[in-house]
Amino acid sequence: MKKKLLILASIILLESLFIPPFVLAYHKPEDCGCSTTAYMEAHLLAYPPKDDIQLKELTTEELNEVKYKLCLEVILADFSGFNASYFIGYILDALGVPRDAENANKIISAFFKKYMSKLICPKDPKDSNSREKHLFKQALFESTIDLYDEILLDDEQYQFDFNSYETLTRENVGETYAKDNEKYMGKGETLIDYIDKLIEEEIYDNDELESIREALVDRGAKKYEDLD
């Protein structure tokens, strides 16, 4: 069925490029002898809907400010509790969007799509074994699982690409961490790779980590070595 849809989508797209619309062979479902559903699916393959979310372009200073607020929210959650409305609000405020905007969830998804690779939490200068981590990894390190339960795994409200990765170097992880983790230096690390390392260390709730890992894999998350 998928192959037939791809062929039909190709015909629709090619005909629209070379033949005037009023003489298209397949501009109605009955013309191709297919169901309305199949025709619409093929049409969407030929003409994918465009993302109509236009985000404000954040300056480096603005992005750093909102990034540090998000990082602090997951770091301090152990003391003050994680507040999802604050977390979302920091992003909307930075983008100049009212917190009660009807399309707020789509805007949050678009923000992470655009700035995902930039959301790196700094290492703790007081801890020689500390390292820079992506925001999603920092939340796991701090055991701020509420970020996953309330936002990241809520795919009815948000859409995330969990395959952003960092290349580990002595500059971004620190000399102490690098010495203890030499085998990882120079390699890419996705969120799944990081979770596997935490599970291997056995200092967290592995059942909880494995549950999150499974949920992420179900949403397309991969190890670095498995990325296309």
Side-chain angles (χ1 to χ4, degrees):
M1 181 62 183
K2 186 176 181 180
K3 184 176 181 181
K4 291 181 179 179
L5 286 176
L6 289 172
I7 293 173
L8 179 55
S10 299
I11 293 172
I12 292 172
L13 183 58
L14 287 172
E15 288 191 331
S16 68
L17 293 174
F18 299 108
I19 305 174
F22 58 86
V23 293
L24 289 182
Y26 294 149
H27 62 93
K28 298 192 298 296
E30 55 266 30
D31 292 335
C32 64
C34 53
S35 68
T36 301
T37 300
Y39 179 83
M40 292 304 297
E41 290 180 358
H43 196 277
L44 286 172
L45 284 173
Y47 302 104
K50 294 182 179 179
D51 187 356
D52 58 354
I53 300 296
Q54 299 296 320
L55 294 183
K56 169 189 173 184
E57 193 71 34
L58 297 179
T59 65
T60 300
E61 291 75 17
E62 289 172 331
L63 180 57
N64 283 339
E65 182 178 354
V66 68
K67 176 180 69 174
Y68 291 135
K69 287 180 178 179
L70 298 177
C71 290
L72 281 175
E73 185 63 35
V74 301
I75 291 171
L76 298 179
D78 189 41
F79 303 98
S80 56
F82 177 75
N83 191 311
S85 62
Y86 285 178
F87 187 91
I88 296 300
Y90 295 145
I91 298 171
L92 297 176
D93 291 347
L95 296 171
V97 176
R99 293 194 177 195
D100 59 353
E102 289 186 5
N103 63 343
N105 292 345
K106 289 185 177 180
I107 290 172
I108 295 300
S109 298
F111 169 83
F112 278 98
K113 180 179 180 180
K114 184 170 185 176
Y115 294 111
M116 183 69 80
S117 64
K118 305 290 186 181
L119 301 177
I120 307 298
C121 297
K123 52 190 173 184
D124 183 351
K126 298 179 181 179
D127 183 356
S128 61
N129 200 39
S130 178
R131 51 161 281 198
E132 294 180 356
K133 303 180 195 69
H134 188 275
L135 174 65
F136 296 174
K137 297 175 184 177
Q138 188 73 46
L140 293 174
F141 180 79
E142 304 292 345
S143 295
T144 307
I145 306 304
D146 286 346
L147 174 62
Y148 285 81
D149 292 340
E150 298 182 33
I151 298 177
L152 300 187
L153 298 180
D154 185 358
D155 44 15
E156 291 186 1
Q157 299 294 329
Y158 309 102
Q159 297 296 320
F160 298 102
D161 177 2
F162 294 109
N163 287 319
S164 177
Y165 67 88
E166 302 128 79
T167 300
L168 304 185
T169 66
R170 280 176 160 73
E171 289 71 25
N172 62 26
V173 301
E175 192 62 35
T176 302
Y177 183 92
K179 286 181 179 178
D180 294 338
N181 298 272
E182 191 67 41
K183 63 181 179 179
Y184 299 123
M185 291 303 98
K187 297 181 180 179
E189 179 192 74
T190 64
L191 184 56
I192 293 296
D193 290 319
Y194 183 71
I195 291 175
D196 288 345
K197 291 174 186 176
L198 293 182
I199 291 174
E200 184 179 340
E201 291 173 2
E202 297 185 337
I203 58 176
Y204 292 87
D205 183 339
N206 277 6
D207 289 339
E208 192 167 50
L209 288 173
E210 288 169 358
S211 177
I212 292 174
R213 188 189 194 282
E214 181 179 354
L216 291 170
V217 169
D218 287 344
R219 290 160 175 79
K222 300 178 181 179
K223 295 174 67 68
Y224 176 77
E225 64 186 26
D226 295 327
L227 294 178
D228 296 333

